[in-house]
PDB file of all heavy atoms in Angstrom:
ATOM      1  N   ASN Z 556     -92.594  31.705  73.546  1.00 93.00           N
ATOM      2  CA  ASN Z 556     -91.458  32.400  74.152  1.00 93.00           C
ATOM      3  C   ASN Z 556     -90.478  32.711  73.030  1.00 93.00           C
ATOM      4  O   ASN Z 556     -89.963  31.792  72.394  1.00 93.00           O
ATOM      5  CB  ASN Z 556     -90.758  31.504  75.181  1.00 93.00           C
ATOM      6  CG  ASN Z 556     -91.666  31.174  76.366  1.00 93.00           C
ATOM      7  OD1 ASN Z 556     -92.789  31.673  76.463  1.00 93.00           O
ATOM      8  ND2 ASN Z 556     -91.177  30.337  77.263  1.00 93.00           N
ATOM      9  N   LEU Z 576     -93.335  35.513  76.402  1.00 96.00           N
ATOM     10  CA  LEU Z 576     -92.117  35.842  77.145  1.00 96.00           C
ATOM     11  C   LEU Z 576     -91.010  36.206  76.180  1.00 96.00           C
ATOM     12  O   LEU Z 576     -90.625  35.406  75.328  1.00 96.00           O
ATOM     13  CB  LEU Z 576     -91.665  34.646  78.001  1.00 96.00           C
ATOM     14  CG  LEU Z 576     -90.302  34.775  78.694  1.00 96.00           C
ATOM     15  CD1 LEU Z 576     -90.318  35.889  79.734  1.00 96.00           C
ATOM     16  CD2 LEU Z 576     -89.900  33.461  79.363  1.00 96.00           C
ATOM     17  N   ARG Z 578     -87.251  37.254  76.813  1.00 92.00           N
ATOM     18  CA  ARG Z 578     -86.251  37.415  77.886  1.00 92.00           C
ATOM     19  C   ARG Z 578     -85.237  38.462  77.419  1.00 92.00           C
ATOM     20  O   ARG Z 578     -84.309  38.145  76.690  1.00 92.00           O
ATOM     21  CB  ARG Z 578     -85.553  36.092  78.167  1.00 92.00           C
ATOM     22  CG  ARG Z 578     -86.426  35.045  78.860  1.00 92.00           C
ATOM     23  CD  ARG Z 578     -85.624  33.766  79.049  1.00 92.00           C
ATOM     24  NE  ARG Z 578     -86.235  32.827  79.971  1.00 92.00           N
ATOM     25  CZ  ARG Z 578     -86.837  31.695  79.594  1.00 92.00           C
ATOM     26  NH1 ARG Z 578     -86.937  31.384  78.322  1.00 92.00           N
ATOM     27  NH2 ARG Z 578     -87.330  30.879  80.501  1.00 92.00           N
ATOM     28  N   GLU Z 580     -82.801  40.006  78.655  1.00 84.00           N
ATOM     29  CA  GLU Z 580     -81.369  39.952  78.981  1.00 84.00           C
ATOM     30  C   GLU Z 580     -80.560  39.195  77.938  1.00 84.00           C
ATOM     31  O   GLU Z 580     -79.365  39.407  77.800  1.00 84.00           O
ATOM     32  CB  GLU Z 580     -81.136  39.325  80.365  1.00 84.00           C
ATOM     33  CG  GLU Z 580     -81.626  37.907  80.535  1.00 84.00           C
ATOM     34  CD  GLU Z 580     -83.072  37.839  80.998  1.00 84.00           C
ATOM     35  OE1 GLU Z 580     -83.719  38.899  81.007  1.00 84.00           O
ATOM     36  OE2 GLU Z 580     -83.531  36.748  81.344  1.00 84.00           O
ATOM     37  N   HIS Z 581     -81.243  38.309  77.181  1.00 78.00           N
ATOM     38  CA  HIS Z 581     -80.506  37.571  76.157  1.00 78.00           C
ATOM     39  C   HIS Z 581     -79.830  38.512  75.175  1.00 78.00           C
ATOM     40  O   HIS Z 581     -78.772  38.239  74.646  1.00 78.00           O
ATOM     41  CB  HIS Z 581     -81.433  36.601  75.418  1.00 78.00           C
ATOM     42  CG  HIS Z 581     -81.755  35.404  76.255  1.00 78.00           C
ATOM     43  ND1 HIS Z 581     -82.602  34.408  75.852  1.00 78.00           N
ATOM     44  CD2 HIS Z 581     -81.318  35.060  77.491  1.00 78.00           C
ATOM     45  CE1 HIS Z 581     -82.680  33.495  76.817  1.00 78.00           C
ATOM     46  NE2 HIS Z 581     -81.920  33.884  77.807  1.00 78.00           N
ATOM     47  N   ARG Z 634     -90.337  40.915  79.137  1.00 97.00           N
ATOM     48  CA  ARG Z 634     -89.974  40.848  80.550  1.00 97.00           C
ATOM     49  C   ARG Z 634     -88.752  41.707  80.820  1.00 97.00           C
ATOM     50  O   ARG Z 634     -87.770  41.661  80.080  1.00 97.00           O
ATOM     51  CB  ARG Z 634     -89.669  39.406  80.949  1.00 97.00           C
ATOM     52  CG  ARG Z 634     -89.265  39.294  82.401  1.00 97.00           C
ATOM     53  CD  ARG Z 634     -88.988  37.879  82.802  1.00 97.00           C
ATOM     54  NE  ARG Z 634     -87.721  37.406  82.267  1.00 97.00           N
ATOM     55  CZ  ARG Z 634     -87.252  36.185  82.488  1.00 97.00           C
ATOM     56  NH1 ARG Z 634     -87.962  35.331  83.197  1.00 97.00           N
ATOM     57  NH2 ARG Z 634     -86.107  35.806  81.995  1.00 97.00           N
ATOM     58  N   ASP Z 637     -83.926  40.047  84.365  1.00 94.00           N
ATOM     59  CA  ASP Z 637     -84.211  39.096  85.448  1.00 94.00           C
ATOM     60  C   ASP Z 637     -82.980  38.504  86.141  1.00 94.00           C
ATOM     61  O   ASP Z 637     -82.950  38.413  87.363  1.00 94.00           O
ATOM     62  CB  ASP Z 637     -85.089  37.969  84.883  1.00 94.00           C
ATOM     63  CG  ASP Z 637     -85.443  36.929  85.936  1.00 94.00           C
ATOM     64  OD1 ASP Z 637     -85.805  37.313  87.064  1.00 94.00           O
ATOM     65  OD2 ASP Z 637     -85.342  35.729  85.646  1.00 94.00           O
ATOM     66  N   MET Z 685     -79.447  32.691  92.683  1.00 89.00           N
ATOM     67  CA  MET Z 685     -80.815  32.504  92.173  1.00 89.00           C
ATOM     68  C   MET Z 685     -81.847  33.020  93.165  1.00 89.00           C
ATOM     69  O   MET Z 685     -83.003  33.249  92.828  1.00 89.00           O
ATOM     70  CB  MET Z 685     -81.085  31.032  91.856  1.00 89.00           C
ATOM     71  CG  MET Z 685     -80.438  30.563  90.560  1.00 89.00           C
ATOM     72  SD  MET Z 685     -80.947  31.552  89.146  1.00 89.00           S
ATOM     73  CE  MET Z 685     -82.339  30.614  88.581  1.00 89.00           C
ATOM     74  N   ARG Z 689     -81.832  39.611  91.953  1.00 95.00           N
ATOM     75  CA  ARG Z 689     -82.307  39.383  90.583  1.00 95.00           C
ATOM     76  C   ARG Z 689     -83.773  39.782  90.500  1.00 95.00           C
ATOM     77  O   ARG Z 689     -84.375  40.133  91.516  1.00 95.00           O
ATOM     78  CB  ARG Z 689     -82.105  37.918  90.169  1.00 95.00           C
ATOM     79  CG  ARG Z 689     -82.801  36.912  91.054  1.00 95.00           C
ATOM     80  CD  ARG Z 689     -82.685  35.489  90.524  1.00 95.00           C
ATOM     81  NE  ARG Z 689     -83.549  35.269  89.381  1.00 95.00           N
ATOM     82  CZ  ARG Z 689     -84.333  34.187  89.234  1.00 95.00           C
ATOM     83  NH1 ARG Z 689     -84.344  33.234  90.147  1.00 95.00           N
ATOM     84  NH2 ARG Z 689     -85.094  34.053  88.176  1.00 95.00           N
ATOM     85  N   MET Z 727     -93.577  42.989  81.624  1.00 98.00           N
ATOM     86  CA  MET Z 727     -93.674  41.981  82.692  1.00 98.00           C
ATOM     87  C   MET Z 727     -92.541  42.143  83.702  1.00 98.00           C
ATOM     88  O   MET Z 727     -91.369  42.154  83.340  1.00 98.00           O
ATOM     89  CB  MET Z 727     -93.647  40.582  82.075  1.00 98.00           C
ATOM     90  CG  MET Z 727     -93.769  39.476  83.091  1.00 98.00           C
ATOM     91  SD  MET Z 727     -94.526  38.020  82.383  1.00 98.00           S
ATOM     92  CE  MET Z 727     -93.156  37.327  81.478  1.00 98.00           C
ATOM     93  N   LEU Z 730     -90.233  37.914  89.115  1.00 98.00           N
ATOM     94  CA  LEU Z 730     -89.856  37.486  90.458  1.00 98.00           C
ATOM     95  C   LEU Z 730     -90.452  38.338  91.586  1.00 98.00           C
ATOM     96  O   LEU Z 730     -89.831  38.541  92.622  1.00 98.00           O
ATOM     97  CB  LEU Z 730     -88.328  37.469  90.571  1.00 98.00           C
ATOM     98  CG  LEU Z 730     -87.757  36.277  91.335  1.00 98.00           C
ATOM     99  CD1 LEU Z 730     -87.890  35.005  90.519  1.00 98.00           C
ATOM    100  CD2 LEU Z 730     -86.294  36.513  91.673  1.00 98.00           C
ATOM    101  N   MET Z 766     -94.777  38.256  86.849  1.00 98.00           N
ATOM    102  CA  MET Z 766     -94.675  36.803  86.846  1.00 98.00           C
ATOM    103  C   MET Z 766     -95.006  36.294  88.235  1.00 98.00           C
ATOM    104  O   MET Z 766     -94.707  36.944  89.231  1.00 98.00           O
ATOM    105  CB  MET Z 766     -93.253  36.373  86.475  1.00 98.00           C
ATOM    106  CG  MET Z 766     -92.905  36.736  85.059  1.00 98.00           C
ATOM    107  SD  MET Z 766     -91.281  36.137  84.588  1.00 98.00           S
ATOM    108  CE  MET Z 766     -91.593  34.400  84.328  1.00 98.00           C
ATOM    109  N   ILE Z 767     -95.632  35.145  88.265  1.00 98.00           N
ATOM    110  CA  ILE Z 767     -95.853  34.482  89.552  1.00 98.00           C
ATOM    111  C   ILE Z 767     -94.855  33.330  89.600  1.00 98.00           C
ATOM    112  O   ILE Z 767     -95.014  32.317  88.930  1.00 98.00           O
ATOM    113  CB  ILE Z 767     -97.302  33.971  89.683  1.00 98.00           C
ATOM    114  CG1 ILE Z 767     -98.304  35.122  89.505  1.00 98.00           C
ATOM    115  CG2 ILE Z 767     -97.516  33.246  91.007  1.00 98.00           C
ATOM    116  CD1 ILE Z 767     -98.337  36.153  90.604  1.00 98.00           C
ATOM    117  N   GLU Z 768     -93.785  33.543  90.373  1.00 97.00           N
ATOM    118  CA  GLU Z 768     -92.680  32.582  90.396  1.00 97.00           C
ATOM    119  C   GLU Z 768     -92.265  32.211  91.811  1.00 97.00           C
ATOM    120  O   GLU Z 768     -91.397  31.365  92.009  1.00 97.00           O
ATOM    121  CB  GLU Z 768     -91.440  33.192  89.716  1.00 97.00           C
ATOM    122  CG  GLU Z 768     -91.664  33.606  88.282  1.00 97.00           C
ATOM    123  CD  GLU Z 768     -90.414  34.196  87.670  1.00 97.00           C
ATOM    124  OE1 GLU Z 768     -90.193  35.419  87.854  1.00 97.00           O
ATOM    125  OE2 GLU Z 768     -89.669  33.457  87.028  1.00 97.00           O
ATOM    126  N   SER Z 787     -98.214  35.873  84.738  1.00 98.00           N
ATOM    127  CA  SER Z 787     -97.675  34.785  83.927  1.00 98.00           C
ATOM    128  C   SER Z 787     -96.910  33.861  84.865  1.00 98.00           C
ATOM    129  O   SER Z 787     -96.006  34.307  85.582  1.00 98.00           O
ATOM    130  CB  SER Z 787     -96.745  35.335  82.844  1.00 98.00           C
ATOM    131  OG  SER Z 787     -96.177  34.255  82.137  1.00 98.00           O
ATOM    132  N   PHE Z 788     -97.326  32.589  84.883  1.00 98.00           N
ATOM    133  CA  PHE Z 788     -96.654  31.660  85.796  1.00 98.00           C
ATOM    134  C   PHE Z 788     -95.279  31.297  85.264  1.00 98.00           C
ATOM    135  O   PHE Z 788     -95.159  30.732  84.174  1.00 98.00           O
ATOM    136  CB  PHE Z 788     -97.480  30.386  85.969  1.00 98.00           C
ATOM    137  CG  PHE Z 788     -98.723  30.596  86.764  1.00 98.00           C
ATOM    138  CD1 PHE Z 788     -99.973  30.540  86.160  1.00 98.00           C
ATOM    139  CD2 PHE Z 788     -98.653  30.864  88.128  1.00 98.00           C
ATOM    140  CE1 PHE Z 788    -101.130  30.742  86.891  1.00 98.00           C
ATOM    141  CE2 PHE Z 788     -99.805  31.078  88.870  1.00 98.00           C
ATOM    142  CZ  PHE Z 788    -101.052  31.019  88.250  1.00 98.00           C
ATOM    143  N   GLY Z 789     -94.259  31.677  86.042  1.00 97.00           N
ATOM    144  CA  GLY Z 789     -92.897  31.259  85.706  1.00 97.00           C
ATOM    145  C   GLY Z 789     -92.658  29.961  86.454  1.00 97.00           C
ATOM    146  O   GLY Z 789     -92.101  29.940  87.556  1.00 97.00           O
ATOM    147  N   THR Z 790     -93.118  28.891  85.847  1.00 96.00           N
ATOM    148  CA  THR Z 790     -93.137  27.622  86.598  1.00 96.00           C
ATOM    149  C   THR Z 790     -91.749  26.994  86.755  1.00 96.00           C
ATOM    150  O   THR Z 790     -91.597  26.062  87.530  1.00 96.00           O
ATOM    151  CB  THR Z 790     -94.094  26.617  85.929  1.00 96.00           C
ATOM    152  OG1 THR Z 790     -93.911  26.698  84.517  1.00 96.00           O
ATOM    153  CG2 THR Z 790     -95.528  26.915  86.291  1.00 96.00           C
ATOM    154  N   ASN Z 791     -90.754  27.531  86.031  1.00 91.00           N
ATOM    155  CA  ASN Z 791     -89.392  27.039  86.299  1.00 91.00           C
ATOM    156  C   ASN Z 791     -88.989  27.462  87.703  1.00 91.00           C
ATOM    157  O   ASN Z 791     -88.572  26.651  88.531  1.00 91.00           O
ATOM    158  CB  ASN Z 791     -88.386  27.613  85.293  1.00 91.00           C
ATOM    159  CG  ASN Z 791     -88.772  27.310  83.858  1.00 91.00           C
ATOM    160  OD1 ASN Z 791     -89.444  26.320  83.599  1.00 91.00           O
ATOM    161  ND2 ASN Z 791     -88.358  28.163  82.934  1.00 91.00           N
ATOM    162  N   ASP Z 792     -89.126  28.756  87.944  1.00 95.00           N
ATOM    163  CA  ASP Z 792     -88.792  29.236  89.285  1.00 95.00           C
ATOM    164  C   ASP Z 792     -89.817  28.786  90.315  1.00 95.00           C
ATOM    165  O   ASP Z 792     -89.451  28.444  91.436  1.00 95.00           O
ATOM    166  CB  ASP Z 792     -88.692  30.771  89.279  1.00 95.00           C
ATOM    167  CG  ASP Z 792     -87.298  31.230  88.887  1.00 95.00           C
ATOM    168  OD1 ASP Z 792     -86.332  30.711  89.475  1.00 95.00           O
ATOM    169  OD2 ASP Z 792     -87.166  32.076  87.981  1.00 95.00           O
ATOM    170  N   LEU Z 793     -91.076  28.806  89.926  1.00 97.00           N
ATOM    171  CA  LEU Z 793     -92.099  28.430  90.912  1.00 97.00           C
ATOM    172  C   LEU Z 793     -91.877  26.984  91.389  1.00 97.00           C
ATOM    173  O   LEU Z 793     -92.052  26.681  92.570  1.00 97.00           O
ATOM    174  CB  LEU Z 793     -93.504  28.599  90.319  1.00 97.00           C
ATOM    175  CG  LEU Z 793     -94.661  28.486  91.316  1.00 97.00           C
ATOM    176  CD1 LEU Z 793     -94.550  29.518  92.436  1.00 97.00           C
ATOM    177  CD2 LEU Z 793     -96.022  28.645  90.620  1.00 97.00           C
ATOM    178  N   ARG Z 802     -83.034  24.397  90.250  1.00 82.00           N
ATOM    179  CA  ARG Z 802     -83.383  23.961  88.884  1.00 82.00           C
ATOM    180  C   ARG Z 802     -82.146  23.668  88.047  1.00 82.00           C
ATOM    181  O   ARG Z 802     -82.201  22.936  87.070  1.00 82.00           O
ATOM    182  CB  ARG Z 802     -84.259  25.012  88.200  1.00 82.00           C
ATOM    183  CG  ARG Z 802     -83.591  26.347  88.115  1.00 82.00           C
ATOM    184  CD  ARG Z 802     -84.554  27.437  87.699  1.00 82.00           C
ATOM    185  NE  ARG Z 802     -84.496  27.731  86.288  1.00 82.00           N
ATOM    186  CZ  ARG Z 802     -85.011  28.824  85.741  1.00 82.00           C
ATOM    187  NH1 ARG Z 802     -85.636  29.711  86.513  1.00 82.00           N
ATOM    188  NH2 ARG Z 802     -84.928  29.033  84.463  1.00 82.00           N
ATOM    189  N   CYS Z 855     -95.332  30.775  81.254  1.00 96.00           N
ATOM    190  CA  CYS Z 855     -94.211  30.875  80.314  1.00 96.00           C
ATOM    191  C   CYS Z 855     -93.031  30.019  80.738  1.00 96.00           C
ATOM    192  O   CYS Z 855     -91.983  30.040  80.111  1.00 96.00           O
ATOM    193  CB  CYS Z 855     -93.799  32.320  80.106  1.00 96.00           C
ATOM    194  SG  CYS Z 855     -93.222  33.102  81.619  1.00 96.00           S
ATOM    195  N   GLY Z 856     -93.186  29.237  81.817  1.00 93.00           N
ATOM    196  CA  GLY Z 856     -92.138  28.280  82.171  1.00 93.00           C
ATOM    197  C   GLY Z 856     -92.119  27.156  81.140  1.00 93.00           C
ATOM    198  O   GLY Z 856     -93.018  27.070  80.298  1.00 93.00           O
ATOM    199  N   GLU Z 857     -91.094  26.299  81.206  1.00 86.00           N
ATOM    200  CA  GLU Z 857     -90.942  25.226  80.206  1.00 86.00           C
ATOM    201  C   GLU Z 857     -92.185  24.329  80.131  1.00 86.00           C
ATOM    202  O   GLU Z 857     -92.444  23.682  79.127  1.00 86.00           O
ATOM    203  CB  GLU Z 857     -89.730  24.356  80.535  1.00 86.00           C
ATOM    204  CG  GLU Z 857     -88.401  25.059  80.388  1.00 86.00           C
ATOM    205  CD  GLU Z 857     -88.302  25.885  79.119  1.00 86.00           C
ATOM    206  OE1 GLU Z 857     -88.497  25.321  78.035  1.00 86.00           O
ATOM    207  OE2 GLU Z 857     -88.062  27.109  79.220  1.00 86.00           O
ATOM    208  N   HIS Z 858     -92.949  24.279  81.208  1.00 93.00           N
ATOM    209  CA  HIS Z 858     -94.135  23.430  81.234  1.00 93.00           C
ATOM    210  C   HIS Z 858     -95.177  23.836  80.204  1.00 93.00           C
ATOM    211  O   HIS Z 858     -96.048  23.051  79.864  1.00 93.00           O
ATOM    212  CB  HIS Z 858     -94.783  23.481  82.630  1.00 93.00           C
ATOM    213  CG  HIS Z 858     -93.835  23.128  83.734  1.00 93.00           C
ATOM    214  ND1 HIS Z 858     -92.963  24.044  84.276  1.00 93.00           N
ATOM    215  CD2 HIS Z 858     -93.625  21.966  84.378  1.00 93.00           C
ATOM    216  CE1 HIS Z 858     -92.248  23.455  85.215  1.00 93.00           C
ATOM    217  NE2 HIS Z 858     -92.622  22.194  85.295  1.00 93.00           N
TER     218      HIS Z 858
HETATM  219  C1  LIG R   1     -89.648  30.715  84.858  1.00 72.70           C
HETATM  220  O1  LIG R   1     -89.068  30.851  85.933  1.00 72.70           O
HETATM  221  O2  LIG R   1     -90.478  29.818  84.661  1.00 72.70           O
HETATM  222  C2  LIG R   1     -89.345  31.596  83.739  1.00 72.70           C
HETATM  223  C3  LIG R   1     -90.015  31.521  82.606  1.00 72.70           C
HETATM  224  O3  LIG R   1     -88.305  32.447  83.897  1.00 72.70           O
HETATM  225  P1  LIG R   1     -86.787  32.005  83.731  1.00 72.70           P
HETATM  226  O4  LIG R   1     -86.759  30.607  83.244  1.00 72.70           O
HETATM  227  O5  LIG R   1     -86.192  32.963  82.769  1.00 72.70           O
HETATM  228  O6  LIG R   1     -86.291  32.180  85.125  1.00 72.70           O
END
Side-chain angles (χ1 to χ4, degrees):
N556 296 356
L576 172 65
R578 289 179 166 106
E580 60 271 9
H581 285 177
R634 179 179 74 180
D637 180 45
M685 284 303 268
R689 59 174 285 226
M727 181 152 78
L730 221 72
M766 294 184 76
I767 303 291
E768 301 180 275
S787 176
F788 289 110
T790 42
N791 304 333
D792 273 310
L793 191 59
R802 59 192 263 196
C855 62
E857 292 316 304
H858 305 83

